[in-house]
Amino acid sequence: MAVRAVRGAVQLDRDEPEHMHEQVSALLTAILERNTLDPDDLISVWFTATPDLHSDFPAVAARKLGITDVPLICAQELDIQGAMPRVVRILAHVETSLSKSDVAHVYLGAAGSLRKDIAQ
C-alpha cells in the first residue's frame, strides 16, 4: 500500500448547512467510490471553503457519513478576486494500491472547470 493524495471540489448553490452537508457528502462519497476506497483507507482529510461560506464546517458532512475516527480539519481558501464563489475543496490522504496516475480526482458540477487537467 502507498499513501496517495486525492483532490476534489464542489460548488455550492447557497450557503446553508444542510445544502453544504449534502454536497460535501456527495463529493466525499464520489472520491471514495471512484477510487475504490472505504473510510478505513482514509488517513486524514483537509477541507477548505471559500470565504463566502460560513454556515457550517464542511467536515460535519464527513462525520454525518460515519467517518468518526479520521483526523479532519477545515480551513479557509485565499480570498482571490475573481475566484469561483461558494467552493468546498477536499484533499484526502489515503492508503491505496493505486498508482499516482490512477488516482481519480473528483470535481463535481461547475467545480470541474477549476482543474480541467486532473478532473475526472
Side-chain angles (χ1 to χ4, degrees):
M1 290 285 179
V3 174
R4 301 284 184 230
V6 185
R7 299 237 0 230
V10 64
Q11 184 181 38
L12 306 185
D13 295 328
R14 58 195 175 280
D15 184 25
E16 296 174 359
E18 288 307 315
H19 179 64
M20 178 183 287
H21 302 161
E22 175 186 292
Q23 294 300 305
V24 174
S25 293
L27 175 59
L28 191 51
T29 299
I31 287 171
L32 293 172
E33 288 176 355
R34 293 184 195 179
N35 289 286
T36 317
L37 300 168
D38 61 53
D40 285 338
D41 298 321
L42 294 169
I43 296 169
S44 64
V45 183
W46 283 79
F47 297 88
T48 64
T50 51
D52 52 1
L53 293 175
H54 39 71
S55 64
D56 205 352
F57 296 99
V60 170
R63 298 290 182 228
K64 285 186 169 194
L65 285 175
I67 300 171
T68 58
D69 62 349
V70 176
L72 308 175
I73 193 164
C74 297
Q76 188 175 81
E77 281 288 330
L78 296 174
D79 190 10
I80 304 298
Q81 186 175 3
M84 183 180 286
R86 299 177 319 279
V87 175
V88 174
R89 291 174 174 85
I90 289 178
L91 175 63
H93 300 96
V94 302
E95 289 181 317
T96 181
S97 58
L98 294 173
S99 67
K100 285 183 185 180
S101 62
D102 288 332
V103 169
H105 304 283
V106 180
Y107 290 77
L108 300 179
S113 67
L114 293 171
R115 290 297 307 266
K116 292 179 184 177
D117 58 324
I118 64 171
Q120 298 182 7

